[in-house]
Amino acid sequence: MIATEPTSSPPAPTGLHGVTMRFGRLRALDDVDLALRPGTIHGLLGRNGSGKTTAMRILAGHQIPTAGRATLDGSRIFEDDTAVAAISFIRDDQRYPDDFTVHHVLRCAAALHPAWNEQLAQQLCQDFALPLRRKTKKLSRGMRSALAITVGLASRAPLTLLDEPTLGLDAPSRQIFHDRLIEDYALHPRTILLSTHLIDEVSPLLEHVFILDRGRVIADTTADELRSRAVRATGETQQVRELIGDASVLGTETLGSQSRIVAAIAADEHLRAEALRRGVALDPVPLQQLITHLTQGT
């Protein structure tokens, strides 16, 4: 595992603090701290069952933790109606009343979120070709995701939680989401926590990364710092192994006399010079592959 350490600055007033969540004998979260930086896009990453959705539900005030607390600007979220109104939580299983149309959902969202922007909502409806008069129960999976994204972005909530927002969307629609998110975030910064399995698609958006594994935080660092702590070395097996020395090996692929090894080692100038001498190619590790290696024992 790649060791990562939080920054030395004081804990942010928004996030989870010492949160444990049990469901019977199952411990979904185990003493979790997530310090969300104001005006930052965070990634909450990990495998299925790692506790990501549970963490988001607690942050949204939808669930009371067994221990610890969730706060927004220092206020306990579950006990503060003002804090709850400042949060937009978009889930992968978002549901609406059976007789609601897309138009009804947007009107309710506008009433619930003080910072709602109608112009952005209408632009997103056009981008995704959302049928305003169609009942939500008749929407396709992708259309339901598009509607949830529209609500999440147009709310412009100070704390926006997006849990697998692009399920069912095709590649062009996912690109629309990425473009609109970064465009509106640049104009109206807010604190965003994004959970997705399409990590490489969103990695250019992420400024800070939390990795959950079996209910525990195993990484809390900037995305760039996380990427810098591993390298993928490809070449003759003996040369690659001698190059990485006793560095922690996160993954190995071998074909004949050639190997590709992902190792927890920084690709500094010395390592690059030595790799060139040994005929070994060094490449950065895609964020998705790195997280897969970090959580492969799950």
Side-chain angles (χ1 to χ4, degrees), residues 45 164 166-167 169 174 178 194-203 288:
L45 310 175
E164 294 292 348
T166 60
L167 285 180
L169 291 181
R174 294 198 302 272
H178 300 155
L194 170 63
S195 173
T196 180
H197 289 295
L198 301 176
I199 298 170
D200 284 342
E201 283 194 6
V202 303
S203 62
Q288 183 157 327

Side-chain angles (χ1 to χ4, degrees), residues 9-124:
S9 58
T14 295
L16 300 181
H17 312 277
V19 166
T20 294
M21 188 72 214
R22 294 188 181 91
F23 299 100
R25 294 184 177 182
L26 173 65
R27 185 175 296 191
L29 296 175
D30 187 4
D31 194 25
V32 167
D33 289 302
L34 297 181
L36 302 182
R37 282 71 174 168
T40 300
I41 300 178
H42 308 77
L44 182 61
L45 310 175
R47 296 190 174 217
N48 287 333
S50 61
K52 302 186 301 297
T53 296
T54 299
M56 285 193 163
R57 286 180 60 82
I58 293 172
L59 265 172
H62 291 190
Q63 206 159 37
I64 304 175
T66 306
R69 68 190 191 281
T71 61
L72 176 66
D73 294 334
S75 299
R76 285 179 178 265
I77 291 172
F78 195 81
E79 300 172 352
D80 190 330
D81 291 341
T82 302
V84 172
I87 299 171
S88 179
F89 178 33
I90 301 305
R91 308 193 307 270
D92 65 342
D93 60 348
Q94 197 78 30
R95 294 292 182 268
Y96 309 100
D98 285 346
D99 60 342
F100 265 38
T101 64
V102 171
H103 175 76
H104 291 144
V105 171
L106 297 178
R107 295 286 62 76
C108 288
L112 291 171
H113 296 289
W116 179 265
N117 185 271
E118 184 63 22
Q119 183 178 355
L120 178 58
Q122 293 302 319
Q123 177 63 59
L124 288 165

